[in-house]
Amino acid sequence: PNPNRKLNKKPEILIRSLAVSALPPAPQSRDKNRPENRHHNFLTPLTVSAGGRSYNSISASDSGDSGDSNASIDSLDQLPQRDELPLSSALLSFPRTVPKSAISSTETIATPAEERRNDVYHEGVEVSLSPKVEGVDTRTSTNSPSQEEGSNGVIKDDAPAKPEEVALTQPLLPLSPHSMNMEPNPPPTPPSWWWSGIGVYANTCCQVFLKIPTVADALPPPLSVLLCNGRNAAMGLVVGYVASICVWVPLWLVSYVVSEVGLYLLFTGGFFVTGRSVVRMIAFPGASHRVRSDLETEFTRYSVKLLDAAVNAIVDYVGALTRAQQGSGGEGTDDLMGLQSRASQYRDRVLVVYMTVLDCLFHNGGKGQEGESLLRGDIGNISQLSLQARSDGLQLLELLSDVLKYYDDVVSAKDSSAAKLRLLLGSLNTLKDLVKNMAPPSSSSSDDEEESQTPESSLQTLKSSASQILPMLDPPPHPSIFGLHVLRGCFLSRYKQAYQFWIPRGSKGQIDAVHIPAKANNERAVLYCNPNAGLYEVATGMSLIGGNTHENSERESTNWTDFYLSCGYDVYLFNYAGYGRSYERLKTLPNKSYKNSTIKRLYQVLKSALFDFKPSPFSLKEDAATVLKHITQHKSHVIIHGESIGGMAASHAATHLSPTTKGLLICDRSFSHLIHVAQRLVGNWSGPAITFLCPLWDTDVTKDFYAVACPKIVAQDARDAIIADPASLKSGVAVSQELFHGCTKEVRGVMSAPVVYRMADYENKSLPRLQPPQWPQDKHFTLEEGFHFAACVRRIGKLNTLQHDDDEGVVTAEDRILTELWTILATVDGCAGQTLGLAIKAGFDATVAWLCALVTFGPQRVGLQAEHRLQRHSAKDITVIDEDFDFVIREEANELILSPVPIPLAIMKLHSLAKDNLGGRDGMLWEIEHELSYAIAMLEYVHARITSKNVIRAALDTCRFRSNRDNVGTFLNLHCGHNNQYSSSEKDQLIEMIRVLFNSDDLELGVGGVVGIA
């Protein structure tokens, strides 16, 4: 009903359920003896009269027998207040049918509006409290003095009620069981299906939760074993709690000595030292005991295998000789001579070498003899070997002496009797058994044992972890005689006149170095700087076959030492301080015996962790500069070759090269900055971590490379698995030269793209418009233009990928065009070893680095290609054509693999597709109209810049070492990975560069190919 509707000039308001439930409380003077007032929550049914009709909220059947049916409350003020109703009263509201007999007309009560609540009481509404029983007239006057005083304009309507039933809603009144004559209703019981539904839902939730990957699934084995098993987790919790107590108690006691603040400082310092040690271990693994132990174990395995083969070769010869003497063998003279030749080779290259090295270590104190001896210089000592290793070494030396003595007697025909042969065979069998017992456990057997073992407990896991860390801090004695000292002796025995010497590091120790001459009175030398895990003992490998001996002079070089020796250059090798035997202070020379007591070992661990010398970038640079200074005192032509982290040391050393010395710097697969390498390998967080833990480390190779005044070569493989192409020295030089005018501060880490391009890539939206650079007006493109080019090409590739994912097998013409566009862009050749698609996959900054390398080193390769085509060696009047951009050897091309597309051909194809398919104003192709146009415009700018005669002339002058105006060096493109040797064509290119620089016509050119096309 509308409350504003008027009847008889008075508003008629029907009292609603919610309003009636908020009636005021009854006064305290109520008669509690009446049945309906025995309880505080008792109310008789409410009768509402309006418009001449009276409506009862409860029918006769619901009213019950409680109370007087004709009783009524004279005043509404006697009703209980809403706030006084107990919370246990049920508030019911449901439609109810009122029979005709329950409807009666009563006298109208006029209630003043000012004495009632505005939201409940209104004028012209009659309210009476009297039970209505079907068939009984219970009308009662409810006039009271207060009501009569205020009854103005009474509405009276005695019209009979209509015969039909009237549907009313029972008001939300608190009803009492006494008033209803019934027991309280029990709480509703949920049905059985409700409980079953809850169970199914809970089971489903548990299964979903169990399938969610957690952190425990990605933890390393020691922690995953603890967390994936309840028993192990409980044991780990107990062990961790006990360990925390064991750690807390000493710290609590220390706090009384150094105070609480001092303890916090001590704890922070310990964390700093630990983190710094971890960074140093990753950056310089060759200085750790773990790498040295692995090298010695591998050399032990190789030596055992080689000695066993030598014993078998001599046994075969002795057996054939015995059968020949007895006349029962079938071997002829030629077969016998072949077996003797094979046995003699093993005798000279294996048995004699090992016997000479062991004799030097045990009888000469590790000092090699001068003159024509195989060993010259300080070979080492046996102080760091275990007692068992020393005993095995002495026994091996005696057996080798006996075998060589008996063998020489048999071969020289001094005494080839059966008795002498039996002595030789007996010595060989004893040597074979000894060598077999000296073999370390093979990796395959250890793997099988690990698989057969049961899972380790938490305590065993902790013990194994500690056993891996303790040897790094306090190295134990090597358990085998075949250690680094024997390896050093075997290395020196492979080269004629090679000798070891020490170079002082001022007042801070000495450097262990080796000089291997190519010929007498040679003025040319090469200083080779090892990579971070390299030692000069293994710079030429562990094999005893090789070197510059007469027997191996015609072998192809498999290492840099043999390569430069074959080119006529002396080779200098050295170990950085902290590597091998090189050290900083004299007192840290490792010539003392091992201390096995607990107190002494704890002291040694603390001393090694806190006070012993540790390598750093500064120490590596200074060591290389010190060795170079020693070399330049004797040589006039020096090549400084640094591989990997050795490029950092070589670049710094080359800055100290005197003007009177003719030098060449070769940075071989090096990086621009160590932080950039860590960010590419580990994550962006590693950059701030290294900066915080090692704030004084200066690993900016690009800065030193720019500072070098002599000719220089940067050799790089764009697909290097260790040093990513954006973090390479090639990219660092190109980006700093193109974007920052030679400033290297901005290329020390990953460059973050502007927010607008990252958001556009995330939301897959069109990019803002930007004008591309124009040649020759723009000599360099800007950083914003480089990122815009990267974002444009990346958006095209992303739309192509999304289009294929959404098509579900349906390929439209638009999809084919988009795929063709992306295929062309992805295969554009960068002229520096990498295609555009690989750079896009690596990120925005990688694409910018690709573009910078293209315009910096691309002219060198294109100019060399044009020079080879024209058969000219002059940079004058060389015109570049489109074929000069094609570096793919078509005879080696594979139809199943997409070959790099030259830039001119890619521009032509993109123009053709854009002209034929971008005419419409809708569709996916129209959305990339700006991106495609900008990419084409940038490639056209690059093409125009590279083909410029001035650019080609400057690039060829740099390649021929005629000038170094741009100071970027000569680029050598590689395809050999990070640790492999150069291919034949790559070695030929390097030889050609060295020949051009030093005018060395005596250098031999290999069979690889022509410089500039590989």
Side-chain angles (χ1 to χ4, degrees), residues 208-220 223-224 227-228:
V208 171
F209 290 154
L210 290 175
K211 292 180 181 179
I212 296 176
T214 61
V215 180
D217 298 329
L219 291 176
L223 295 178
S224 61
L227 296 179
C228 295

Side-chain angles (χ1 to χ4, degrees), residues 851-878:
L851 193 61
C852 293
L854 173 59
V855 298
T856 302
F857 298 109
Q860 296 184 9
R861 299 195 68 196
V862 174
L864 290 174
Q865 190 88 330
E867 188 180 70
H868 172 68
R869 175 177 53 84
L870 298 175
Q871 297 297 325
R872 297 178 183 177
H873 295 282
S874 175
K876 297 180 179 179
D877 300 330
I878 288 185

Side-chain angles (χ1 to χ4, degrees), residues 17-18 90-96 168-173 175:
S17 312
L18 225 59
L91 300 179
L92 305 177
S93 177
F94 50 88
R96 187 174 295 278
L168 297 178
T169 301
Q170 179 177 344
L172 292 175
L173 292 177
L175 304 179

Side-chain angles (χ1 to χ4, degrees), residues 585-636:
R585 301 180 182 89
L586 292 176
K587 63 181 182 180
T588 60
L589 182 63
N591 58 358
K592 52 188 179 301
S593 60
Y594 182 74
K595 302 178 179 61
N596 197 24
S597 63
T598 304
I599 301 299
K600 293 182 179 180
R601 192 172 187 186
L602 180 61
Y603 166 77
Q604 184 65 24
V605 168
L606 294 177
K607 179 178 176 294
S608 175
L610 299 177
F611 303 106
D612 280 357
F613 173 77
K614 301 295 188 303
S616 65
F618 176 77
S619 67
L620 265 66
K621 294 178 181 179
E622 290 300 319
D623 292 343
T626 301
V627 177
L628 180 62
K629 183 180 178 180
H630 174 82
I631 296 174
T632 53
Q633 295 175 358
H634 306 87
K635 308 295 180 181
S636 60

Side-chain angles (χ1 to χ4, degrees), residues 30 154 691 711 969:
R30 292 178 56 189
V154 177
T691 304

Side-chain angles (χ1 to χ4, degrees), residues 680 718 725-728 730-732 734-735 738-739 751 781 786 789-790 793 824-859 900-903 906 935 938-940 942-943 946:
R680 286 289 174 181
D725 189 65
S728 63
K730 174 197 72 176
S731 298
V735 172
E738 179 66 22
L739 301 178
M751 294 186 299
F781 62 86
F789 171 77
V793 182
I824 296 173
L825 288 172
T827 54
V828 172
D829 190 0
C831 299
Q834 191 179 41
T835 58
L836 180 56
L838 295 177
I840 289 294
K841 184 179 180 180
F844 287 100
D845 63 323
T847 309
V848 175
W850 177 90
L851 193 61
C852 293
L854 173 59
V855 298
T856 302
F857 298 109
V901 179
I903 292 179
M938 181 60 78
L939 293 178
E940 290 177 340
V942 171
H943 178 264
I946 291 178

Side-chain angles (χ1 to χ4, degrees), residues 808-825:
E808 298 180 357
V810 179
V811 180
T812 62
E814 188 178 65
D815 297 342
R816 288 193 294 269
I817 297 172
L818 188 60
T819 301
E820 189 173 357
L821 286 174
W822 169 243
T823 302
I824 296 173
L825 288 172

